[in-house]
Amino acid sequence: MKIVKTILAVLFGLMFINAGLDKFLHYMPVPPMEGEMLKVGMAFGTIAWLMPLVGAIELLGGLLFAIPKTRALGAIVILPITVGIVLHNAVYMPEGLAIAGPLLLINLWIIADNSNKYKAMVN
């Protein structure tokens, strides 16, 4: 089970590192948007600091998540991003839930697996 967790955590981390880098380098193609998605994309684009902030959190969270020693911290750092991805997909692109849902589940699994490390924060 430890090997499965390690493989999933590294892949999860790499996915977010890639997504974070793309926020700065723009190397992945963006599919054409229409309707409500176009409005959302335009709204996000008007907030100049938003995507760089999300990209930085994705990079940091992905790096922390991929490294076993910092995985518990990475899981907390990246949690708001994964929740946002799931909510965005649930509202605007339900077909994306096939990827977003498992990402959130992996994130929650790592948080649950490291729950003893968070006790000091909530006591």
Side-chain angles (χ1 to χ4, degrees):
M1 193 59 139
K2 185 176 179 177
I3 292 172
V4 171
K5 180 171 59 171
T6 300
I7 290 169
L8 285 176
V10 169
L11 291 175
F12 181 100
L14 288 173
M15 286 181 72
F16 279 97
I17 291 167
N18 181 54
L21 286 173
D22 185 61
K23 302 281 187 304
F24 296 103
L25 304 175
H26 309 289
Y27 55 84
M28 291 193 296
V30 177
M33 293 186 279
E34 53 189 43
E36 198 68 24
M37 273 300 300
L38 181 59
K39 289 179 188 175
V40 170
M42 297 288 283
F44 284 165
T46 62
I47 307 169
W49 54 265
L50 183 61
M51 285 301 123
L53 175 64
V54 171
I57 293 169
E58 287 175 338
L59 269 170
L60 176 64
L63 281 168
L64 292 169
F65 204 99
I67 300 167
K69 187 173 183 161
T70 60
R71 189 165 294 145
L73 177 59
I76 294 297
V77 168
I78 207 76
L79 181 63
I81 301 294
T82 57
V83 169
I85 291 168
V86 168
L87 290 174
H88 178 83
N89 280 278
V91 173
Y92 299 110
M93 297 172 30
E95 64 277 6
L97 288 171
I99 295 172
L103 286 176
L104 180 60
L105 291 176
I106 292 168
N107 199 167
L108 292 173
W109 175 34
I110 296 301
I111 288 172
D113 195 48
N114 289 285
S115 61
N116 61 323
K117 295 181 181 178
Y118 307 123
K119 287 182 180 169
M121 291 192 307
V122 294
N123 283 337

